[in-house]
Amino acid sequence: MFYWIFISWFLQIPKFVSSFMTVNISLCFYKTPEDFHYEGDVMIGAFFPIHTYYSPNKVPHKTVPYQYMDNYLQYNFKNYQYIMVLVLAIEEINGNPNLLPNISLGFDFYNVRFTEKETLMNACIWITGQGQKNFLPNYNCSKRIFTVALTGTSWTTSAQIGTLLQLFKFPQLSFGPYDPILSDRGQYSSLYQMAPKYTSLSLGIVSLMVHFRWSWVGLILPDDHKGSKILSEFREDMGRKGVCIAFVKIIPVTWTRYFNKFWENMDETNVIIIYGDIDSIIGIMRNIGQRLLTWKVWVMNTEPHITDYADYFMLDSFHGSLIFTHHYEESFQLTKFIQTVNPYKYPEDIYLPKLWHLFFKCPFSDIDCQLLDYCQSNASLDVLPRHILDTAISEESNNIYNAVYAVAHSLHQMSLQQVQIQPHENGEVMTFFPWQLNIFLKDIDERDNMSLGGRKKLNAEYDIFNLWNLPKGLGRKVKIGSFSGNAPEGQQLSLFEPMILWAERFSEIPQSVCSKSCVPGFRKVTLEGKAICCYNCTPCADNEISNETDVDQCMKCPESHYANPEKNHCFQKTVSFLAYEDPLGMTLASISLCLSALTVFVIGVFVKYRETPIVKANNRGLSSTLLITITFCLLCSLNFIGQPNAATCILQQTIFGVAFTVALATVLAKTVTVVIAFKATFPGKMVRWLMTSRAPNYIIPICILIQLLLCAIWMATSPPFIDQDFHAEHGHILLLCNKGSSLAFHCVLGYLCSLAIGGYTMAFLSRNLPDTFNESKFLSFSMLVFFCVWVTFLPVYHSTKGKVMVAMEVFSILASSAALLGFIFIPKCYIILLRPEKNSFYHMRDKTHSRKNKSLKI
């Protein structure tokens, strides 16, 4: 609590100081003439504002036209630097015997107000040399010679005076910012602009926006042709760089009607660009200062010229602002000169006494409003705060310095020309008409490239300054970077970010965006009817990534890579296949080996009990062939497990097709043998021939030959090959055997199913034949199961991918092989091993005898 009480008390101290200073200001401080004169043989007319009458609401005067009731006098002592530079340049020239010998320069200063009538009146008074009543162009009674008019800082001031001076071809030098209207030689043939024509200011500011990722910014522009031109440039550069304009505010001429409306929507963005010369934006800057908008970053091309002596509050709206100024080399030392300036050295100056009275407490005489003699004669203006009087050379001051020297060099050339034509007598001052200087000013422009007349067009170099004004009154401009339009792309902007102090609200680089950035893994989706900087963020699609912020399109990963869950990186896919180490592969391999071992066990049982009736009755030769084939069928499934290669891909299908062909052909041969055996009991030569010639044994090789023919055609036309499936399993490249020809594979499988149907049909026909060990029912059931397994396999096989697809084929092989083994041989093993009494001749005789008795009863 004590801390906040102390801070509140501390912030009130400047107000007490301000009140003290205000009370002791003399009335003489406000008695300000509009002009003063610095004597010389050849005079320069200087027209620019030092003090103004500020009218916030512009309430018209009831009786006096063009006057306002709410006028307030305000001094802009920052502009006083112009006068000091003017004096410095003239003193240097007058002290140079080689430049203008026997000639001294002087100047007449006229304070410029923002009314055309008063500006033209001052210009008329100056060019006549007497006053408005005795206006005679190109003639005056005094010995002083008038040369050029030096005008600024506003283009309107130069244009108003230029309209008058153009009538007499009177030379005029404008030291304010370059303006295309003033370069119209048809309208202003004798007006020369000291500022070069730069073309890259908007690009420099937009490059700064891009550097700090400020994509949503506001614009405040003057309501004139310069505002319209820079707006089009901003739109072009921002559109090319992806920066959007949140709003455009046009500075109104009067604030009464638009005051509240102007400040609407200001909170939409944290960064606002203010463009214009100081005369056009002084009103908006004053309003910003009064509203204490400390949560904005102001980017400007003009330094704030706000001096309010009654406000010493610590916070400043423009603290942390970024200012673009033209880069130029300082060709003179202003600070040393400022240290020597005082009102007693330059008594003709009307502003020095006011500065000494205001800041050094020097009193005025009550009689003539002159400073008392030698009060603070050793004081120096360089101790004043920078926001009141800056000793750093401004661009306008540099232009004034060059303008005075341009006049001096023109006079020097004119003097040399006159001497060559008609030599002067000693002490005689040359005489000339002002319009004669135009020729020499143009020659200087073309020869020395001093940018007179605005013909020089450059991609400027800009210095970027950061305004440090906390506490208010510090007023330091710190250079934090530069921009060069002539530098290569990507190297134009140079910044030293650690030096930047932001506005009070921001502890780090401010953000100024319409929508939050889309982080990696997302992409931008523009909103209909909105600016391109306003968007939503949507995740990248499957197997697409974005590894940068604010991307418009996601990047698809190569087929050999996959996107991580965050979708910001592509990782290499691992090679995968149905391996023995996998749980699924291990399970299938174990089942295959176990069933193979069981089949070998059954073979052993049949070999051991080969002389028993049940083995003999079911054609032990074909049974042994079938058991061996089932073993191969079970073992061929192992070809499908493990890393495939070209050989295994071919062997998978050929061994599978041939092995099952042998098995099914054997079953078909067994059923045909049973049918022929029972038909042989009836007379018939054909049946007896079939039995004696062992024709059923030819079924197996014939069926095998047909299958081999199909496989040969398959392998010759489109054999299986190793294939890679990039999409079956996420993050894996699946190695598998491509069937090559899908038609050939289905032909082989269809041929097996046709054998199964044939075997089933023959077994079904012989199911009721009288035999003790008739296996027709078991054969028919096994064929039915085989057929169902492979018919079911087809849709499941085509609906699965990856390892599951391979596993389905292996499972179908094991299931159909197990059906053959289980339904045909397990019942026989049961009788052989567990019911041996049924596997005997006596059991067969008793069963046959009982069958005959039943027949007799019937």
Side-chain angles (χ1 to χ4, degrees), residues 48-271:
F48 47 83
I50 300 293
H51 65 272
T52 59
Y53 291 92
Y54 169 56
S55 177
N57 298 319
K58 297 189 183 303
V59 180
H61 198 281
K62 295 182 179 179
T63 57
V64 182
Y66 304 107
Q67 295 292 330
Y68 300 103
M69 297 288 293
D70 55 341
N71 273 345
Y72 299 94
L73 177 65
Q74 179 173 351
Y75 290 97
N76 188 0
F77 287 123
K78 275 198 171 185
N79 287 359
Y80 183 69
Q81 185 186 102
Y82 306 156
I83 293 180
M84 290 189 292
V85 170
L86 189 60
V87 173
L88 171 62
I90 288 177
E91 288 187 353
E92 288 180 356
I93 294 170
N94 290 342
N96 186 352
N98 298 321
L99 188 56
L100 291 178
N102 301 324
I103 299 176
S104 64
L105 288 181
F107 68 87
D108 297 318
F109 169 76
Y110 293 89
N111 185 73
V112 173
R113 298 192 187 183
F114 296 110
T115 60
E116 184 176 2
K117 177 184 176 182
E118 294 173 344
T119 300
L120 292 176
M121 285 177 60
N122 287 334
C124 289
I125 292 172
W126 178 68
I127 61 176
T128 60
Q130 299 180 20
Q132 188 177 8
K133 294 181 180 179
N134 301 317
F135 175 64
L136 295 174
N138 293 327
Y139 177 79
N140 63 79
C141 299
S142 65
K143 295 182 180 181
R144 299 189 305 170
I145 302 175
F146 300 96
T147 54
V148 298
L150 185 63
T151 60
T153 55
S154 170
W155 72 271
T156 55
T157 300
S158 297
Q160 291 167 1
I161 297 177
T163 303
L164 175 64
L165 300 184
Q166 170 67 19
L167 299 175
F168 314 108
K169 305 299 180 183
F170 206 102
Q172 179 183 356
L173 299 179
S174 173
F175 64 88
Y178 177 85
D179 191 279
I181 288 183
L182 301 181
S183 63
D184 183 358
R185 310 316 295 167
Q187 187 174 2
Y188 305 103
S189 61
S190 58
L191 190 151
Y192 307 92
Q193 298 188 75
M194 299 304 302
K197 182 180 180 180
Y198 294 118
T199 60
S200 56
L201 176 61
S202 63
L203 179 60
I205 295 177
V206 172
S207 298
L208 183 73
M209 305 292 112
V210 174
H211 176 81
F212 288 117
R213 297 182 179 274
W214 294 335
S215 60
W216 191 242
V217 298
L219 286 177
I220 298 179
L221 306 174
D223 188 11
D224 56 21
H225 64 283
K226 296 178 71 175
S228 301
K229 184 176 185 300
I230 198 67
L231 177 59
S232 65
E233 293 178 3
F234 273 128
R235 290 189 189 277
E236 180 181 353
D237 292 332
M238 288 182 176
R240 191 170 61 251
K241 298 287 187 178
V243 180
C244 299
I245 299 176
F247 55 80
V248 177
K249 301 288 185 178
I250 303 300
I251 302 173
V253 179
T254 60
W255 288 92
T256 52
R257 184 181 303 176
Y258 302 101
F259 184 80
N260 293 326
K261 185 178 180 180
F262 184 87
W263 300 104
E264 293 178 357
N265 306 325
M266 282 289 187
D267 292 333
E268 289 186 6
T269 176
N270 291 327
V271 178

Side-chain angles (χ1 to χ4, degrees), residues 519-523 538-541 544-547 554 562-571 730:
V519 298
F522 290 78
R523 66 177 179 89
T538 185
C540 292
E544 292 185 353
I545 66 162
S546 63
N547 51 14
C554 297
Y562 70 97
N564 62 338
E566 292 78 18
K567 296 185 178 180
N568 56 8
H569 286 95
C570 289
F571 293 111
H730 179 70

